[in-house]
Amino acid sequence: MTTPTDERRDLLTVVATMRARAGKEQELREALEALVEPTTGEAGCVNYDLHQNLEDPGEFAFYENWESPDQLDAHLAAPHLVAFVDRIPDLLDGPLVVRRMRRIA
């Protein structure tokens, strides 16, 4: 099995994690799923994979790879993402944690 960074160590990898407020798990899941299609069509998006913790269904993570930091910044300013960020206080229990990484091995 291959991943985008097997051949492209220069890609910017992002891991974004979040936890749903109690009772908001399905609403958060639907809001996150709605981000996938518009994001995968953005310039520089290599992959934008949404995950849900099997043992804790209130925990979600995106595993993303981007061509460049500038293209990631453009994504963060995209209308669909800005609209989601406005909903964070209602949907999340705690912060949205975004880590920018580079594969080293």
Side-chain angles (χ1 to χ4, degrees), residues 16-36 50-53 56-62 84-85 87-96:
T17 58
M18 68 216 77
R19 172 172 300 289
R21 284 192 180 279
K24 298 279 187 170
E25 296 85 358
Q26 186 60 34
E27 190 176 348
L28 177 58
R29 179 181 172 152
E30 291 169 4
L32 296 173
E33 288 175 332
L35 298 175
V36 174
L50 176 60
H51 300 265
Q52 185 175 23
N53 187 328
D56 180 358
E59 183 180 3
F60 296 86
F62 276 108
F84 172 75
V85 169
R87 297 181 65 196
I88 284 177
D90 181 52
L91 294 175
L92 298 190
D93 181 13
L96 167 63

Side-chain angles (χ1 to χ4, degrees), residues 29-47:
R29 179 181 172 152
E30 291 169 4
L32 296 173
E33 288 175 332
L35 298 175
V36 174
E37 184 178 346
T39 299
T40 56
E42 291 177 31
C45 180
V46 176
N47 67 293

